[in-house]
């Protein structure tokens, strides 16, 4: 399960230029007891490495075909890892972390905690699986996520989360998780000068008459309607002309 979960997390955040993939943060997210990583993966050294040549924690899968083996029920037999089960496992770890506002195993320092909080806040929008969307949240969970997200990429993360948390909802009927996340996000956005969706915008979204792409204006494809949720645009000041003596 762990090998599949590590690959799932890495695959879902791979290519995100502003997100690093420190193994120590992934370890902190997945562990439920001290030393669990070494206990579960240490005996699989021929398949996955957990320490690099500098003695630092680093996950390296030696044989990519092993993932194909795990994915195939007819080949993996008892070792087969169902995607849904892995999805549920990662969702449960994300939910536990968000509710506790910390990983289950205590981190060694405040700096390590800050690094983990930043990593978790950045990766969470890309780990919104089915089970996560059906969990229960309160506004404090959402505000913790927003305030711990690095400011340089917070706007994009808010837009992605606003869209992603809604993807498992039915037409005109949001799940409880979606209602909490969207209401809290919209409250934060209103307080910070965003353009927020009107009731008509929301109606059109649920009616599927309009496909909105919730990304910042400067990267929204021109083939899609402009997103009704938009961060404030920076004020461009005209150049100051200096008088000539």
């Amino acid at each position: 399960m762990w090998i599949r979960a590590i690959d799932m997390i890495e695959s879902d955040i791979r290519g995100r230029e502003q997100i690093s993939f420190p193994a120590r943060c992934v370890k902190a997210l997945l562990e439920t007891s001290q030393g669990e990583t070494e206990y579960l993966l240490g005996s699989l050294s021929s398949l996955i490495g957990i320490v690099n040549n500098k003695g630092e924690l680093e996950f390296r899968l030696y044989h990519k075909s092993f993932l194909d083996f795990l994915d195939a029920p007819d080949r993996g037999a008892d070792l087969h890892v169902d995607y849904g089960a892995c999805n549920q496992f990662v969702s449960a770890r994300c939910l536990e972390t968000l509710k506790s506002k910390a990983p289950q195993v205590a981190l060694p320092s405040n700096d390590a905690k800050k690094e983990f909080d930043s990593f978790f806040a950045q990766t969470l929008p890309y780990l919104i699986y089915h089970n996560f969307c059906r969990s229960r949240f309160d506004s404090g969970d959402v505000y913790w996520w927003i305030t711990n997200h690095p400011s340089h990429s917070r706007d994009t993360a808010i837009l992605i989360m606003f869209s992603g948390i809604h993807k498992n909802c039915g037409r005109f009927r949001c799940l409880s998780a979606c209602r909490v996340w969207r209401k809290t996000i919209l409250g934060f956005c209103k307080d910070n000068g965003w353009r927020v969706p009107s009731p008509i915008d929301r109606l059109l979204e649920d009616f599927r008459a309009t496909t909105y792409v919730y990304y910042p204006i400067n990267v929204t494809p021109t083939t899609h309607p402009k997103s009704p949720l938009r961060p404030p645009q920076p004020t461009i000041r005209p150049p100051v002309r200096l008088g000539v003596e």
Side-chain angles (χ1 to χ4, degrees):
M1 178 69 77
W2 268 57
I3 293 177
R4 192 69 185 86
I6 291 170
D7 179 72
M8 177 184 287
I9 295 171
E10 183 179 9
S11 297
D12 286 343
I13 68 173
R14 186 181 294 131
R16 317 294 178 184
E17 295 180 0
Q18 297 175 318
I19 302 178
S20 60
F21 189 78
R24 56 187 172 273
C25 290
V26 178
K27 173 185 177 181
L29 175 62
L30 297 181
E31 278 193 335
T32 58
S33 60
Q34 190 72 43
E36 187 176 12
T37 302
E38 291 76 13
Y39 175 77
L40 293 175
L41 302 180
S43 61
L44 302 176
S45 57
S46 62
L47 298 173
I48 184 171
I50 59 176
V51 179
N52 61 22
N53 54 14
K54 297 181 181 179
E56 301 168 337
L57 186 69
E58 180 182 333
F59 297 120
R60 302 187 315 281
L61 186 64
Y62 297 132
H63 307 286
K64 290 293 184 182
S65 59
F66 183 63
L67 290 174
D68 298 330
F69 175 77
L70 293 177
D71 286 340
D74 56 330
R75 296 173 58 196
D78 293 341
L79 295 177
H80 168 63
V81 179
D82 178 74
Y83 179 82
C86 190
N87 177 310
Q88 187 172 4
F89 171 68
V90 175
S91 292
R93 298 304 310 126
C94 289
L95 180 61
E96 177 67 29
T97 300
L98 186 60
K99 287 295 184 182
S100 302
K101 312 297 186 289
Q104 198 158 338
V105 176
L107 294 170
S109 66
N110 287 334
D111 287 342
K113 177 66 165 58
K114 290 179 181 178
E115 179 190 44
F116 175 81
D117 288 349
S118 176
F119 164 81
F120 180 71
Q122 290 182 85
T123 57
L124 187 61
Y126 305 104
L127 302 178
I128 306 175
Y129 303 133
H130 179 76
N131 294 310
F132 185 88
C133 294
R134 294 185 177 277
S135 303
R136 300 189 69 85
F137 301 93
D138 58 49
S139 59
D141 300 327
V142 184
Y143 272 115
W144 182 87
W145 171 74
I146 292 174
T147 55
N148 278 280
H149 201 290
S151 58
H152 64 79
S153 58
R154 182 182 296 153
D155 289 356
T156 298
I158 286 174
L159 293 164
I160 294 172
M161 182 65 86
F162 189 81
S163 176
I165 199 68
H166 187 63
K167 64 185 178 182
N168 287 301
C169 297
R171 182 178 291 186
F172 307 116
R173 187 173 183 177
C174 286
L175 297 171
S176 172
C178 180
R179 290 196 296 269
V180 172
W181 275 88
R182 283 196 154 194
K183 180 180 179 180
T184 309
I185 286 174
L186 289 176
F188 174 86
C189 291
K190 286 179 182 178
D191 292 342
N192 288 273
W194 287 50
R195 192 279 190 193
V196 298
S198 67
I200 295 298
D201 291 328
R202 301 288 296 276
L203 182 65
L204 288 173
E205 180 185 38
D206 277 341
F207 195 66
R208 302 294 190 265
T210 304
T211 301
Y212 291 121
V213 178
Y214 287 98
Y215 285 88
I217 294 174
N218 61 338
V219 297
T220 300
T222 56
T223 55
H224 293 274
K226 186 179 293 185
S227 166
L229 178 64
R230 302 196 294 274
Q233 295 302 292
T235 302
I236 301 177
R237 298 179 180 275
V240 178
R241 294 188 177 183
L242 301 177
V244 179
E245 296 183 358

